[in-house]
Amino acid sequence: MSQQVNPFIQADGTKPSCMQMLQIILDEQASADQKEYFKFHMAKCLPCFKSYNIDATIKELLKSKCCAGEAPHDLIEVIKQKINQQLSL
Ligand SMILES: [Zn+2]
């Protein structure tokens, strides 16, 4: 497999963790390169795959439950933290 440059690596060479990459993706702050890279990464990384899908599911669920459309940000953060805790066990 050819070596792919990780577009998430910061200017100072810091390699981000899975959680940091996920956060960028889920906050919709990722560039096209980052999204592409993460798609491949997710295919090989079960925790990322799970978190990504859980988050998408939560957002869908909240959207369908809340008529206002936007889910309360605090609630999303609390749920994310719970998921993160479970994944790191
Ligand atoms: Zn990962």
Side-chain angles (χ1 to χ4, degrees):
M1 201 186 271
S2 67
Q3 188 132 39
Q4 199 182 3
V5 177
N6 184 338
F8 286 93
I9 291 178
Q10 289 158 31
D12 63 359
T14 310
K15 209 179 165 196
S17 68
C18 284
M19 271 308 151
Q20 286 169 321
M21 287 196 285
L22 255 171
Q23 207 64 51
I24 295 169
I25 296 285
L26 296 176
D27 287 347
E28 281 163 32
Q29 288 171 348
S31 66
D33 277 356
Q34 288 175 325
K35 281 182 193 164
E36 194 64 21
Y37 179 88
F38 191 76
K39 245 198 294 181
F40 284 108
H41 171 78
M42 199 165 59
K44 294 176 292 182
C45 181
L46 193 60
C48 282
F49 181 78
K50 275 191 189 165
S51 306
Y52 184 81
N53 282 286
I54 290 168
D55 195 89
T57 308
I58 291 169
K59 279 185 181 160
E60 278 305 304
L61 200 73
L62 290 173
K63 248 188 232 169
S64 62
K65 298 265 181 223
C66 305
C67 10
E70 280 290 295
H73 198 69
D74 288 357
L75 180 61
I76 295 178
E77 286 307 313
V78 169
I79 295 170
K80 268 190 203 169
Q81 270 167 27
K82 290 232 184 287
I83 293 166
N84 290 347
Q85 277 165 13
Q86 296 215 327
L87 286 172
S88 59
L89 284 178

